[in-house]
Amino acid sequence: MKYKLIITIFLNLVFLNYSYSQEEERPIREYTLTIEKQAVNFTGKEVMGMTVNGSIPGPTLEFTEGEQAVIHVINKMEVETSVHWHGILLPNFQDGVPYLTTPPIKPGTTFTYEFPIKQSGTYWYHSHTMLQEQSGVFGSIVIQPKEKILDYDKELVLMLSDWTNEKPKDVMRTLKRGSEWYGIKKGTSTPLNQVISRGALGAQIDFWRQRMEGADIADIYYSAFLVNGKQLAEYPDFKPGEKVRLRIIDGSSSTQFWMTFGGETPLLVSADGLDVEPVKRNKTFIAIAETYDFIVTIPQSGKLEFRAMAQDGSGTALAYLGSGEILPAPLVEKPDKIAMMQEMAKMKMKMGAHAIKFQPKKDERYEMKEEYGMKMDGMEMDHSKMEMPKDSMKMDHSKMDHSKMNMPEDSPKMDHSKMDMNSEPRQMEGMGMNSEYTYDYLKSPEKTSYPKDIPVTEILLNLTGNMNRYIWSLNGVPLSETDNIKIKGNEVTRITLNNLTMMHHPMHLHGHFFRVINKNGEYSPLKHTVNVPPMEEVTIEFYGDAYGDWFFHCHVLYHMMGGMARVFSYETPRDPRMEEYPVSKIMNEANHFYTWGTADVASHMAELNLTSSNLRNQFNVMAEYGWNQNLEVEVTYERYLHDYLRIFGGVNVENETEDSLDEIETTAIAGIRYLTPYLFNLDVRIDSKLRPQIGLEREIMIFPRTLVFGMIEYQADFGLVDDLPTGIDYGDELTWNAGLEYFLSKNFSLMASYDNRFGAGGGMSIRF
């Protein structure tokens, strides 16, 4: 017991980094942050949010490099909370990921974060508990350098964010059920009539063949996009001719922006808190969790407009600096999703990599990349546009037999200690539709490459997702189904991020900066967050000099909560203060059950459908009743083997003819359900009377608010259990229906249908 106490005290000293506070006399900068639920109003509608010191966003925390930060966080809510210091290099215990690195802040308690300020620049903080970031728990951090280098007069933080009047959990439930409503609401859906009028039916069919509805850009309808908590923020006190450093932070939960400026072209001077070679740049893409600093000059007459347009064109946030007539910022054209579909179909891309696999522990990442990655059927790759130094790695993974390997997913594979590290990993130019998303304009003022004698370990991470069930993963494996990725200290870890989805993914690594390999080679920039465009590849690398376990995840909040995350582990002892906080709590956050339902009430029938689902398990209840006294009730449990295939079993209760409620029979059922190419739901089953049945169903949006749907089922009875009438070799039953649904709102629709059991009619569809 005595020795255990001594060891615990020693580890505490290590984790607390007492050397920073005792060996160096650091001035202390102290803040208190109070998190509580309050009514807020950004859109003319009062809803409940989560505020920091009474506001959204929270206050800006200002430090000077070399200080000691002491931040008291008071939780006045009835639920746990946390604060992560995004981009700050600090001891592992202070990082703020609950149950992984830092204890959660329980209701009614205070937690004090304390860490040395070892850097300067623009950063931010936010909750890492469930979906709280969306509700308002975030704010900015500004750290001044010990010595000012850049020339400017004043500075201003511009915190971008998105706001929904819905509860974030309801947003996630809507995404999980596969609703089309958000696209309808913001006008970014691509119904069939628009596809046909643009001559893109062939491209649409190709997407359907690969089990995709279309080219997705952003998932959610937002009530407002904000700058410092306002849809239009004005700063009239800046004087003509003043140089202002704009510290811009994308603190959104799910929105990336195109930024443009009125007046003179601004000078980009910093990315993710670190200085870059200054470059004049007006149109810049900012991904979620990134920060960019620009120096702008206030015009001699008029006020400068800053414009941030949501990536999908669904809204804009504005800020004005100065006074007088507006000097408008250039408008960015809204993306053309149908044209994107046509371009991708022309390239004959292969899409649809699994978000959940049949064997999560089997290492299939290279096969996955070979099948779905940059290889495009029928398209010759132009290698003349690849930057590939003559000394770069030449290993061809396509020749390796990975099928015989059964090792932990994501484990490091190659020891490059014998490689010539003067060479850089190859970087391919973006495709036409993604050419604006490269980081080639970012150049570090100093060399960032590592000495050639440092060993390098390579890791391939395919970014994978399923929009139909809203599951996101890495290498087809969500967070809850995988082990930690082991990081070796005193070595370089090089990660290839290969995006096999149609969405952008801003990937963030806690506690580290990494090199983003671009055309600037040895001067490639250092960042803490990197955007990976659709169907593209980005290479990052970092030197392993940290301690503990660190979170790595997509910073689209709903993608992270859908499973696109990993834990990078140096395999060092866990802080003893975390013993009572199981890591499984955060590992299983993406595996929660979500429940939803639909009720149809029409002139010819009524129907109820209930679903409760997590990653692998799903419970369904279906009940149909025709006013002609025709009844069917079915309760099933499904197990997803992978994205498209699940097995199921359950009970079916029905009467076989109308007006016969006294002839109800109950049978056990079992079978498979499969999402086929072209997005048909196939149901193949057999019941306890050994009657086989096959069914197909499909729905298609034909106009902006109108769906057409249909279902057909065929059942055969060979008399294997029940005797058939004399002279009949087998019996059969054909059931089908077809109809239209018109969306009035998120929760209500008008519907009309014909069912060969119930007849024709119409009524209301209610979603809950």
Side-chain angles (χ1 to χ4, degrees):
M1 181 65 69
K2 178 180 178 181
Y3 293 110
K4 183 177 180 181
L5 178 62
I6 293 173
I7 293 172
T8 300
I9 293 173
F10 173 75
L11 287 174
N12 279 328
L13 292 176
V14 173
F15 284 118
L16 287 171
N17 280 277
Y18 270 46
S19 58
Y20 289 120
S21 58
Q22 292 183 347
E23 293 178 12
E24 304 175 26
E25 293 185 3
R26 292 177 173 269
I28 294 176
R29 185 73 64 95
E30 195 165 2
Y31 288 96
T32 298
L33 301 179
T34 301
I35 303 175
E36 59 187 327
K37 289 186 177 181
Q38 287 186 341
V40 294
N41 189 333
F42 294 113
T43 62
K45 179 180 180 181
E46 188 171 89
V47 296
M48 190 62 66
M50 295 179 179
T51 63
V52 183
N53 289 8
S55 67
I56 299 176
T60 298
L61 307 184
E62 299 187 46
F63 300 97
T64 298
E65 184 180 5
E67 291 180 333
Q68 183 81 2
V70 177
I71 307 169
H72 310 285
V73 180
I74 303 171
N75 181 7
K76 288 192 174 182
M77 302 187 296
E78 296 177 352
V79 294
E80 294 178 354
T81 192
S82 60
V83 178
H84 163 60
W85 314 100
H86 188 106
I88 303 297
L89 300 174
L90 38 56
N92 186 255
F93 183 74
Q94 306 294 328
D95 190 51
V97 181
Y99 297 97
L100 178 65
T101 64
T102 313
I105 307 173
K106 300 288 186 178
T109 67
T110 299
F111 186 89
T112 297
Y113 296 87
E114 184 171 357
F115 49 87
I117 302 296
K118 301 185 290 183
Q119 62 203 96
S120 62
T122 305
Y123 304 95
W124 65 300
Y125 60 89
H126 59 83
S127 171
H128 231 294
T129 299
M130 297 299 289
L131 299 166
Q132 289 181 5
E133 182 188 327
Q134 179 74 88
S135 296
V137 187
F138 60 89
S140 54
I141 300 173
V142 172
I143 305 174
Q144 300 293 344
K146 292 179 179 179
E147 296 182 7
K148 183 177 177 180
I149 299 175
L150 296 170
D151 178 27
Y152 57 90
D153 302 305
K154 296 179 180 179
E155 58 182 54
L156 174 68
V157 172
L158 297 179
M159 170 72 81
L160 306 176
S161 62
D162 44 29
W163 180 258
T164 173
N165 287 330
E166 296 183 69
K167 294 180 180 178
K169 188 174 181 179
D170 290 339
V171 172
M172 191 68 170
R173 180 184 294 112
T174 301
L175 296 170
K176 286 284 187 181
R177 74 185 299 166
S179 171
E180 297 284 345
W181 173 247
Y182 288 142
I184 293 171
K185 178 68 174 176
K186 60 186 178 179
T188 59
S189 61
T190 53
L192 194 58
N193 71 313
Q194 295 179 13
V195 169
I196 293 174
S197 69
R198 293 278 301 276
L201 181 59
Q204 179 66 83
I205 291 173
D206 185 62
F207 267 68
W208 286 342
R209 178 180 61 83
Q210 300 186 73
R211 301 181 178 90
M212 300 181 69
E213 286 289 356
D216 295 300
I217 296 177
D219 304 317
I220 301 165
Y221 166 76
Y222 280 106
S223 305
F225 300 102
L226 308 173
V227 177
N228 292 345
K230 298 179 180 180
Q231 296 184 62
L232 193 161
E234 298 210 49
Y235 301 94
D237 294 337
F238 291 114
K239 306 301 182 187
E242 285 184 328
K243 292 183 178 181
V244 181
R245 179 175 185 163
L246 297 180
R247 298 178 180 269
I248 305 172
I249 305 164
D250 188 350
S252 300
S253 293
S254 189
T255 305
Q256 345 241 20
F257 293 94
W258 283 108
M259 304 183 297
T260 56
F261 304 79
E264 297 179 14
T265 302
L267 193 66
L268 192 160
V269 296
S270 177
D272 283 1
L274 302 184
D275 291 344
V276 296
E277 288 286 347
V279 57
K280 287 190 174 183
R281 188 173 177 84
N282 197 326
K283 178 186 175 185
T284 302
F285 182 78
I286 184 169
I288 299 164
E290 289 186 315
T291 74
Y292 286 105
D293 291 17
F294 291 86
I295 295 178
V296 300
T297 301
I298 304 300
Q300 292 298 325
S301 61
K303 55 187 175 184
L304 180 156
E305 180 181 73
F306 167 78
R307 174 179 291 268
M309 185 191 82
Q311 183 189 5
D312 65 351
S314 60
T316 300
L318 299 170
Y320 294 124
L321 283 69
S323 57
E325 294 293 323
I326 297 173
L327 275 69
L331 299 178
V332 177
E333 187 177 355
K334 293 183 179 181
D336 187 336
K337 292 174 65 175
I338 294 178
M340 289 170 59
M341 281 180 16
Q342 290 174 305
E343 183 175 353
M344 295 191 70
K346 185 178 179 181
M347 291 177 172
K348 298 189 182 299
M349 285 187 180
K350 186 166 184 183
M351 299 171 283
H354 290 309
I356 55 173
K357 304 193 310 176
F358 180 65
Q359 294 177 287
K361 296 298 182 182
K362 185 177 180 181
D363 184 8
E364 299 173 304
R365 53 191 150 149
Y366 291 104
E367 290 87 347
M368 183 177 287
K369 181 181 180 182
E370 186 70 16
E371 182 174 2
Y372 294 101
M374 294 303 296
K375 178 182 177 182
M376 303 171 198
D377 298 338
M379 177 182 172
E380 291 296 325
M381 302 295 292
D382 184 358
H383 294 280
S384 65
K385 294 183 179 181
M386 290 184 183
E387 293 191 9
M388 189 180 298
K390 63 182 180 180
D391 297 326
S392 66
M393 178 177 58
K394 294 184 170 26
M395 181 173 291
D396 183 358
H397 293 288
S398 65
K399 303 297 190 295
M400 296 174 65
D401 184 5
H402 297 283
S403 63
K404 296 180 181 178
M405 300 181 184
N406 191 6
M407 58 193 300
E409 190 79 22
D410 312 325
S411 60
K413 276 189 169 299
M414 295 186 291
D415 182 358
H416 292 270
S417 58
K418 305 297 190 294
M419 277 184 57
D420 180 0
M421 284 303 296
N422 285 328
S423 65
E424 295 287 348
R426 72 184 187 181
Q427 181 72 12
M428 197 172 79
E429 284 191 9
M431 299 176 299
M433 68 176 186
N434 288 329
S435 58
E436 292 187 285
Y437 299 111
T438 72
Y439 286 99
D440 287 344
Y441 59 91
L442 295 181
K443 183 178 181 180
S444 171
E446 300 175 349
K447 286 186 178 181
T448 60
S449 55
Y450 304 111
K452 63 180 181 180
D453 58 344
I454 297 179
V456 177
T457 298
E458 287 218 351
I459 298 173
L460 169 63
L461 293 177
N462 297 297
L463 313 185
T464 43
N466 180 333
M467 285 292 291
N468 295 309
R469 298 187 63 227
Y470 214 78
I471 293 173
W472 300 94
S473 56
L474 297 169
N475 292 335
V477 185
L479 177 63
S480 61
E481 295 190 346
T482 190
D483 300 322
N484 295 351
I485 296 178
K486 298 177 178 60
I487 302 299
K488 297 179 181 179
N490 302 317
E491 291 191 7
V492 170
T493 298
R494 179 177 296 155
I495 302 174
T496 299
L497 299 169
N498 182 40
N499 189 352
L500 300 182
T501 79
M502 288 301 302
M503 303 290 291
H504 289 251
H505 298 292
M507 305 301 296
H508 169 53
L509 176 58
H510 289 218
H512 297 71
F513 279 83
F514 46 71
R515 302 181 71 229
V516 179
I517 308 302
N518 66 5
K519 73 174 185 180
N520 295 309
E522 293 182 324
Y523 293 86
S524 292
L526 294 172
K527 297 182 95 274
H528 52 61
T529 305
V530 61
N531 177 58
V532 189
M535 306 305 288
E536 290 278 350
E537 199 177 276
V538 174
T539 300
I540 64 173
E541 60 183 19
F542 61 92
Y543 180 74
D545 58 357
Y547 185 101
D549 294 344
W550 301 91
F551 213 37
F552 177 72
H553 61 92
C554 177
H555 224 287
V556 178
L557 179 61
Y558 300 92
H559 292 182
M560 179 186 75
M561 294 302 296
M564 188 175 279
R566 285 292 186 274
V567 173
F568 282 13
S569 176
Y570 283 84
E571 295 192 282
T572 48
R574 195 171 191 227
D575 191 316
R577 291 168 290 181
M578 294 299 296
E579 286 182 0
E580 62 181 283
Y581 303 102
V583 179
S584 59
K585 179 93 173 188
I586 192 168
M587 298 292 283
N588 289 317
E589 275 189 345
N591 201 26
H592 289 183
F593 273 91
Y594 288 86
T595 303
W596 59 87
T598 303
D600 295 336
V601 181
S603 59
H604 60 314
M605 63 166 293
E607 181 176 353
L608 173 69
N609 286 281
L610 294 174
T611 300
S612 185
S613 181
N614 68 358
L615 292 177
R616 295 277 183 178
N617 306 290
Q618 186 162 300
F619 297 91
N620 306 289
V621 177
M622 183 278 294
E624 292 179 327
Y625 180 74
W627 305 133
N628 57 3
Q629 294 191 11
N630 202 329
L631 171 71
E632 181 177 6
V633 177
E634 186 170 284
V635 179
T636 59
Y637 162 74
E638 299 181 344
R639 175 71 177 180
Y640 277 84
L641 303 182
H642 62 67
D643 283 337
Y644 311 135
L645 179 66
R646 66 258 200 206
I647 56 176
F648 72 93
V651 176
N652 182 275
V653 179
E654 65 178 327
N655 59 340
E656 296 194 3
T657 59
E658 61 185 62
D659 299 319
S660 59
L661 289 179
D662 56 342
E663 298 177 8
I664 290 177
E665 64 177 13
T666 301
T667 56
I669 55 175
I672 63 169
R673 288 174 176 146
Y674 181 64
L675 181 65
T676 74
Y678 305 100
L679 294 174
F680 287 94
N681 282 298
L682 173 68
D683 183 309
V684 179
R685 63 173 69 186
I686 192 165
D687 66 13
S688 54
K689 294 187 177 183
L690 302 182
R691 296 178 298 185
Q693 178 178 300
I694 185 170
L696 276 177
E697 62 178 345
R698 177 78 159 92
E699 63 178 31
I700 300 173
M701 181 178 289
I702 57 173
F703 299 112
R705 286 177 176 258
T706 306
L707 291 175
V708 60
F709 59 85
M711 178 276 294
I712 186 169
E713 293 176 350
Y714 177 78
Q715 184 183 69
D717 187 349
F718 298 100
L720 298 175
V721 175
D722 289 346
D723 293 333
L724 297 175
T726 303
I728 297 178
D729 295 330
Y730 74 95
D732 62 1
E733 180 182 11
L734 181 68
T735 302
W736 64 273
N737 65 43
L740 294 169
E741 181 178 3
Y742 180 80
F743 285 81
L744 298 173
S745 67
K746 177 184 176 182
N747 297 320
F748 296 97
S749 298
L750 298 176
M751 57 84 67
S753 69
Y754 176 83
D755 190 295
N756 71 333
R757 298 165 298 171
F758 312 132
M764 181 74 73
S765 183
I766 304 167
R767 291 173 292 277
F768 53 90

